Amino acid sequence: MSEKPESDDPQTEDEARVSRRRVIGTGAAIGGAAIGGALAATVGGSARAEQGNAMPASESNTKLDTETHLFRLTSAEPDRYDGGTLRGAHEGTFPVLTGQQASVYFVELEVGAIREPHWHPTAWELNYIISGKADWTILGTHPDGTYRNDAFEAKQGDLVFVPQGFFHYFGNASTEQPLQVLVVFNTSAQEPNDDIGIVATVNSLPREILAAAFGVPVAAFAGVPTEIKPVVITRRK
């Protein structure tokens, strides 16, 4: 029987052991990554499933197949305010929108009326001017660290975009005719559920805090109304 020839290189066996360790280590790393990916997928899937419990896809899809796809927006019973009306198509009035992240409102402001300054924490909005003209102010922060107050007048046929969370208001800029605006949100909830008005904001803070922030006496806020309403359409005083 012939003997195994000895290697001329004394490091051959060591190098072989190193190579084997590298192969084993690489295989372990690949296996670990695969297992980790599988676990991440499982956890991610569970998280998405939990989030979906609030509105299962099957329920949303069922509504798409069973609910009417027509909503007569301008004929709907309006919410009436001192200064105008508001008609809304959302998941509460137009069930087919359930889970679709969309709602539409038809706003009418009488001469001299305004929509209370407010913002929407979880939705942006697109506003189409159907008739009349509106004065707008939109306030938001910007990368340079300053505030930009974008104030302008929008007329019939114009489109106005308000980013999510930006503070804004609009009012009827005409002294002769009503203002009609079609507002589209990327949420299915009705507007009061995603609306924070300036009156509610002021009333959420102690008067002494407001006084300190504005640099005026506490008495300066004595005339601020304390009644908080979910949506306000009112008149210029």
Side-chain angles (χ1 to χ4, degrees):
M1 181 179 294
S2 60
E3 295 183 358
K4 182 179 179 181
E6 295 183 358
S7 172
D8 294 334
D9 186 349
Q11 296 182 348
T12 300
E13 288 301 323
D14 291 338
E15 289 177 350
R17 284 194 294 271
V18 171
S19 296
R20 285 195 295 272
R21 284 198 296 269
R22 286 175 178 169
V23 170
I24 293 171
T26 301
I30 294 173
I35 294 173
L39 288 174
T42 302
V43 172
S46 298
R48 287 190 295 273
E50 290 177 2
Q51 293 174 355
N53 287 338
M55 178 49 60
S58 58
E59 181 178 343
S60 176
N61 292 338
T62 297
K63 289 184 180 296
L64 292 178
D65 291 332
T66 59
E67 297 289 345
T68 179
H69 296 79
L70 174 66
F71 186 83
R72 301 190 186 281
L73 182 60
T74 59
S75 299
E77 182 64 26
D79 294 328
R80 301 183 184 278
Y81 304 89
D82 179 25
T85 58
L86 181 68
R87 294 173 170 86
H90 46 78
E91 60 187 10
T93 58
F94 195 18
V96 74
L97 291 180
T98 301
Q100 302 306 310
Q101 300 304 305
S103 56
V104 182
Y105 289 82
F106 178 63
V107 185
E108 290 186 285
L109 298 186
E110 299 171 5
V111 173
I114 66 166
R115 173 69 171 92
E116 177 193 20
H118 63 285
W119 68 89
H120 306 287
T122 64
W124 52 251
E125 64 180 80
L126 275 169
N127 302 265
Y128 178 75
I129 311 301
I130 298 173
S131 64
K133 57 183 179 179
D135 48 5
W136 280 85
T137 290
I138 302 173
L139 177 67
T141 57
H142 293 264
D144 61 3
T146 62
Y147 286 99
R148 181 187 176 204
N149 185 28
D150 194 7
F152 53 87
E153 184 176 275
K155 301 179 180 180
Q156 181 178 358
D158 289 344
L159 191 64
V160 178
F161 177 69
V162 181
Q164 176 180 325
F166 276 40
F167 188 64
H168 62 284
Y169 100 97
F170 66 93
N172 188 345
S174 173
T175 58
E176 300 177 350
Q177 67 178 111
L179 170 68
Q180 295 184 330
V181 183
L182 188 70
V183 187
V184 179
F185 293 100
N186 64 327
T187 176
S188 302
Q190 54 184 311
E191 186 174 359
N193 294 344
D194 188 49
D195 182 285
I196 299 177
I198 192 170
V199 176
T201 302
V202 171
N203 277 283
S204 70
L205 301 171
R207 292 295 191 257
E208 61 270 21
I209 301 301
L210 291 169
F214 282 89
V216 298
V218 174
F221 296 92
V224 175
T226 57
E227 182 182 6
I228 299 174
K229 300 177 181 179
V231 174
V232 175
I233 296 175
T234 188
R235 299 176 185 275
R236 294 179 172 90
K237 304 303 182 183

